[in-house]
Amino acid sequence: MNAMTENKGSTLVAKPDQVVIPPTVAMKGEDVSVFYGAKQALFGVNLEIERNRVTSLIGPSGCGKSTFLRSLNRMNDTIDICRVTGRITLDGEDIYDKNLDVVELRARVGMVFQKPNPFPKSIFENVAYGPKIHGMVSTKAETEEIVVSSLRKAGLFEEVKDRLNEPGTGLSGGQQQRLCIARAIATKPEVLLMDEPCSALDPIATAIIEELIDELRENFTIVIVTHSMQQAARVSQKTAFFHLGKLIEEGVTEDIFTNPVNKQTQDYIMGRIG
Amino acid sequence: MVGYLFLTILVFSIAAFFVGRSAGNRFVATNGVSTHSLPGYHGAFVAVWVGVPALVLLLLWLMAQGSVIDNMLLSTLPATLTEAASAADKNLLLSEIKNVAAGRIFAEPTPEITAAAETLLRWQQIASWLMVVVVVAAMLLAMFFAYSRLAPRFRARNGVEAFTSGIMIACSIAAILTTIGIIASLIYESIEFFKLVPVHEFLFGLRWEPQIAIRADQVAGNGAFGAVPVFVGTIVIATIAMLVATPIGIFTAIYLTEYASDRVRNIIKPIMEILAGVPTVVYGFFAVLTVAPAIRGAGNLMGLATSPNSAIAAGGVMGIMIIPFISSLADDAIRAVPRSMRDGSLAMGATRAETMTKVLLPAALPGIMGGILLALSRAIGETMIVVMAAGLIATLNINPLDSVTTVTVQIVTLLIGDTSFDNPKTLAAFALGLVLFLVTLGLNVVALTIVRKYREQYD
Ligand SMILES: Nc1ncnc2c1ncn2[C@@H]1O[C@H](COP(=O)(O)OP(=O)(O)OP(=O)(O)O)[C@@H](O)[C@H]1O
Ligand SMILES: [Mg+2]
């Protein structure tokens, strides 16, 4: 996979004179507008999500970051009054197509929520949930293997290996969030959407998850919403700045943070709006 | 007279309110915002002081007046009449005097009685005027006292607050005392019963034939008070009811929370509420006149011997009656599962049915269990439907097509007709009632504990 080799020298450190192989596009939004009833929350957003990169969405509260994120795996469908126009593709396929199976889409585009939301089941069952409902496993051994490897990837296995049968709700906040990440990656999604995954966590747990995101990039395409500029700068290769429902500026993270083209972006990054 | 007095108290209180409020208005006009309480509170404070003590006084007076006059009257009667009289005789004497005083003369009264009747009338006259004077004086005194306390910095608001909480405490104490009274009478009468019929015979006996002779001239059996057939009948009917209500109730709740559109929900919910509001007597004749014959017809078609008042008819209709209990509690329980659980599951690519069975129902299970137990205790205590649709004869069987009887039906039949409260037939009703009370109390406690425990999980 050429994207993998390309990843080794991430864009963050790529010198302008280096030959950069153009990354492939995993998801693409074209002229995406979202309405909640009569209220328009997103205005004609065009954004490409590149494979095996971390794309961060930043912007002041209420600007539509979560809305955009949720339209990428059609979680907006669960809100009765929500309507999406424009075109969003996954590997070139329109995900709002009538014939597309939403359930399958969500298996391919996983999601981690702002607040950890483990199911009131055991740690093991939490992680095994996705693989079981998607028929990815048929024997207990297979299930165990996938649970252990997901927990390992989420950096949680060592902490919970002795209590896999205890309820997931009994973990600390940071552990719960990593459990949710393990749960999401157990179904082997192509894209992982994360909506402020660290907002409920302390700096240590945040550092663990940021490290994790960096590792996960090898196998997944990640979109992360964050309110922390430092976090966006640390974990992402691409950054998109939203304001009042519009995509104001997008580009290589380093460029956005050191050399924003747009005045609003500049103001936001300097902490003058938001 | 008394009616007018109540009216007077009301009028005085209202007048006191306005007097107090105008004082309050004056304070506000002169002192502005540094006045402690709003004028209305000053008014309410005076009104409460005028109205409540007078009311209490009046009620106490009315309670005491009768017996005080009676005693005074007895002491005026010539010693020949009262000397050797027992309490019952004295009562007879008093009621004769009262009858004469009220003009209900059946036989020519003796001169002593006539004289006493006149005295009674006179005293009653005096007492009621005295009562008016005392009550009005109390109101004026209270008015003076309360009004004199009003001042710009007077905490009328806190006074009214204290009074309000006092009223609320009084109300809740009334409810508690009533409950205690009911329990005490149940226990007392049951103990009387168990003196006549041993506890073990009642709890474990297999024959229930309570129709014994109450008067010497009646012809009846010797009676047997083994309640097992009655308990079994209750269990059969309650089981049938739960078998009907549980699945329907839970599926209704699932449909309403997860699948129904707002429009459909807005139609179904009120209908469920109507179901909950139908008087049980209506369910009763629905069971007798519609369901029971239909079941009998169906049974006959299939060649099954079906009793005209089959357990399945009564139980089935009772089940329909308790559907709203289960569905509304299950609905609450499913809704109480945080939205994030549902979203988490859907975002994993689960279908709505998978989300429901694998995440929402397990999480809501304690709440749903609580609902089922509450419905069960309702089913066990339900009376009207079974009185109308279930049988009377206590036969020990569990065939749903046969007729069975329940605890509540037996309580009703034991207590109608000729009754006297010192024989086992009547007292048995209290023993049954006690068992019923303990069982439903137990179920409610368990149910509420489960529901509460589960609420804590998410909040
Ligand atoms: N379920 C909803 N119903 C109606 N309006 C909504 C709903 N969800 C979001 N909105 C509106 O859409 C706009 C964008 O909301 P969104 O949640 O996408 O913001 P956000 O950028 O994620 O904000 P935050 O940083 O605070 O999470 C807001 O104005 C919000 O009020
Ligand atoms: Mg958001």
Side-chain angles (χ1 to χ4, degrees):
Chain A
M1 205 196 226
N2 63 2
M4 291 272 289
T5 45
E6 191 272 328
N7 264 328
K8 292 286 184 280
S10 87
T11 347
L12 203 59
V13 292
K15 299 281 174 313
D17 53 350
Q18 241 177 321
V19 185
V20 176
I21 305 159
T24 56
V25 174
M27 296 193 81
K28 186 168 176 183
E30 292 163 71
D31 195 26
V32 178
S33 295
V34 180
F35 303 82
Y36 291 107
K39 183 178 179 296
Q40 187 165 4
L42 275 187
F43 298 81
V45 171
N46 290 294
L47 186 65
E48 288 182 350
I49 311 293
E50 288 156 16
R51 199 178 298 282
N52 295 87
R53 298 284 183 88
V54 177
T55 305
S56 62
L57 311 182
I58 61 170
S61 189
C63 67
K65 306 178 296 289
S66 301
T67 301
F68 182 71
L69 200 71
R70 282 202 308 268
S71 60
L72 293 179
N73 69 344
R74 292 186 57 177
M75 278 305 282
N76 277 337
D77 291 13
T78 63
I79 300 167
D80 289 336
I81 55 168
C82 187
R83 198 159 52 81
V84 179
T85 65
R87 198 176 130 87
I88 299 177
T89 55
L90 171 62
D91 294 337
E93 236 183 301
D94 185 355
I95 64 169
Y96 282 86
D97 190 282
K98 285 256 177 308
N99 296 322
L100 181 121
D101 180 12
V102 189
V103 167
E104 196 199 314
L105 168 75
R106 292 188 188 138
R108 289 173 63 191
V109 183
M111 188 163 204
V112 175
F113 294 80
Q114 171 170 357
K115 222 176 118 221
N117 59 347
F119 302 133
K121 299 170 179 289
S122 72
I123 295 171
F124 186 92
E125 285 300 324
N126 260 284
V127 183
Y129 185 77
K132 274 187 181 165
I133 58 173
H134 294 301
M136 294 164 61
V137 290
S138 47
T139 64
K140 190 143 177 27
E142 279 175 350
T143 317
E144 227 171 275
E145 191 195 310
I146 211 164
V147 168
V148 171
S149 74
S150 306
L151 282 172
R152 253 192 233 291
K153 276 191 210 135
L156 187 62
F157 184 68
E158 289 306 317
E159 285 160 69
V160 300
K161 64 180 176 211
D162 300 323
R163 46 172 174 153
L164 289 178
N165 290 319
E166 282 171 34
T169 40
L171 297 173
S172 77
Q175 289 172 326
Q176 284 188 13
Q177 193 60 297
R178 279 179 283 154
L179 178 62
C180 291
I181 293 174
R183 185 176 75 185
I185 61 184
T187 47
K188 304 208 162 54
E190 295 159 40
V191 181
L192 191 58
L193 310 174
M194 302 174 129
D195 195 346
E196 301 181 40
C198 302
S199 65
L201 305 183
D202 67 43
I204 295 172
T206 302
I208 295 174
I209 288 185
E210 284 180 7
E211 208 172 297
L212 175 64
I213 290 172
D214 210 49
E215 285 164 19
L216 291 176
R217 185 159 61 88
E218 249 177 62
N219 300 312
F220 303 94
T221 302
I222 295 172
V223 185
I224 178 172
V225 171
T226 176
H227 275 287
S228 152
M229 301 303 128
Q230 291 88 337
Q231 183 168 64
R234 281 194 300 263
V235 301
S236 71
Q237 289 77 51
K238 180 170 174 170
T239 296
F241 171 65
F242 286 73
H243 189 46
L244 298 177
K246 298 199 173 74
L247 176 62
I248 304 295
E249 188 170 352
E250 52 134 332
V252 175
T253 298
E254 201 177 41
D255 293 348
I256 296 276
F257 280 101
T258 53
N259 198 6
V261 177
N262 191 288
K263 176 79 168 46
Q264 281 174 319
T265 317
Q266 202 176 346
D267 285 350
Y268 182 68
I269 287 163
M270 309 297 277
R272 281 196 289 263
I273 51 175
Chain B
M1 192 67 164
V2 176
Y4 287 120
L5 199 50
F6 276 112
L7 206 65
T8 316
I9 294 179
L10 187 69
V11 170
F12 265 63
S13 304
I14 293 172
F17 174 79
F18 286 108
V19 171
R21 198 179 62 171
S22 73
N25 279 329
R26 244 184 2 262
F27 297 145
V28 173
T30 51
N31 292 55
V33 286
S34 75
T35 313
H36 180 273
S37 302
L38 290 174
Y41 283 115
H42 288 279
F45 179 78
V46 182
V48 162
W49 264 102
V50 168
V52 176
L55 205 62
V56 173
L57 190 67
L58 176 57
L59 291 176
L60 289 178
W61 185 289
L62 287 175
M63 274 191 269
Q65 177 176 322
S67 57
V68 170
I69 291 189
D70 284 355
N71 282 331
M72 284 165 61
L73 205 58
L74 282 176
S75 64
T76 62
L77 287 177
T80 47
L81 279 177
T82 51
E83 199 111 279
S86 68
D89 288 341
K90 281 182 184 164
N91 270 338
L92 270 178
L93 208 57
L94 281 172
S95 60
E96 192 184 349
I97 296 173
K98 280 174 193 162
N99 276 330
V100 171
R104 292 187 297 264
I105 303 171
F106 303 110
E108 195 53 37
T110 57
E112 289 92 350
I113 299 285
T114 321
E118 272 162 25
T119 325
L120 175 67
L121 281 178
R122 206 169 53 246
W123 282 351
Q124 274 176 345
Q125 199 80 27
I126 295 171
S128 55
W129 280 113
L130 204 61
M131 177 171 76
V132 172
V133 171
V134 168
V135 167
V136 170
M139 284 195 287
L140 291 176
L141 212 72
M143 171 89 180
F144 178 72
F145 168 73
Y147 191 80
S148 71
R149 290 190 59 187
L150 295 188
R153 293 303 302 160
F154 175 64
R155 299 178 182 174
R157 187 185 183 189
N158 305 21
V160 173
E161 177 77 22
F163 170 75
T164 319
S165 63
I167 290 216
M168 288 188 274
I169 291 171
C171 289
S172 55
I173 286 179
I176 292 169
L177 287 183
T178 317
T179 314
I180 292 176
I182 291 173
I183 296 171
S185 95
L186 263 184
I187 291 176
Y188 175 78
E189 303 287 353
S190 301
I191 290 173
E192 291 295 303
F193 173 72
F194 291 129
K195 280 180 194 159
L196 301 171
V197 176
V199 180
H200 60 87
E201 192 188 319
F202 173 74
L203 286 181
F204 305 112
L206 298 182
R207 273 178 56 233
W208 180 260
E209 284 150 19
Q211 302 307 336
I212 58 173
I214 292 174
R215 290 192 315 269
D217 57 343
Q218 282 179 326
V219 179
N222 288 335
F225 292 94
V228 170
V230 183
F231 294 150
V232 169
T234 305
I235 292 171
V236 168
I237 286 195
T239 308
I240 294 170
M242 296 315 291
L243 286 180
V244 171
T246 310
I248 297 182
I250 292 180
F251 283 120
T252 308
I254 292 177
Y255 174 71
L256 285 180
T257 47
E258 282 303 294
Y259 292 90
S261 67
D262 280 350
R263 213 164 52 88
V264 175
R265 188 164 36 236
N266 288 342
I267 297 169
I268 293 184
K269 274 233 146 177
I271 294 179
M272 298 298 288
E273 272 149 31
I274 291 174
L275 208 55
V278 174
T280 53
V281 68
V282 175
Y283 280 112
F285 55 70
F286 176 60
V288 182
L289 300 179
T290 313
V291 179
I295 285 176
R296 186 147 199 232
N300 287 346
L301 269 184
M302 289 184 283
L304 298 167
T306 313
S307 147
N309 38 20
S310 53
I312 199 166
V317 172
M318 195 194 280
I320 291 171
M321 181 193 79
I322 56 180
I323 288 172
F325 272 82
I326 297 189
S327 73
S328 79
L329 276 158
D331 188 287
D332 288 350
I334 296 173
R335 267 174 212 283
V337 179
R339 199 192 149 84
S340 63
M341 296 286 139
R342 182 170 317 168
D343 284 353
S345 172
L346 290 175
M348 297 291 300
T351 62
R352 284 198 293 187
E354 284 163 349
T355 302
M356 177 54 70
T357 52
K358 298 212 161 72
V359 177
L360 299 184
L361 279 186
L365 198 61
I368 295 174
M369 278 306 299
I372 290 175
L373 290 183
L374 283 180
L376 178 60
S377 84
R378 180 73 206 267
I380 290 175
E382 167 53 34
T383 310
M384 212 57 219
I385 294 176
V386 282
V387 166
M388 295 173 79
L392 291 178
I393 312 297
T395 47
L396 188 58
N397 81 67
I398 54 168
N399 177 2
L401 296 177
D402 222 331
S403 138
V404 298
T405 190
T406 70
V407 173
T408 49
V409 170
Q410 288 308 312
I411 293 179
V412 171
T413 52
L414 290 172
L415 290 181
I416 53 180
D418 277 354
T419 49
S420 88
F421 279 80
D422 54 2
N423 79 58
K425 181 190 165 200
T426 349
L427 291 174
F430 290 94
L432 286 178
L434 184 66
V435 172
L436 196 62
F437 170 74
L438 290 179
V439 170
T440 48
L441 179 74
L443 283 174
N444 285 357
V445 168
V446 172
L448 292 178
T449 318
I450 291 178
V451 172
R452 194 170 320 126
K453 221 177 185 166
Y454 142 85
R455 286 266 150 78
E456 282 162 7
Q457 261 182 31
Y458 299 115
D459 294 347

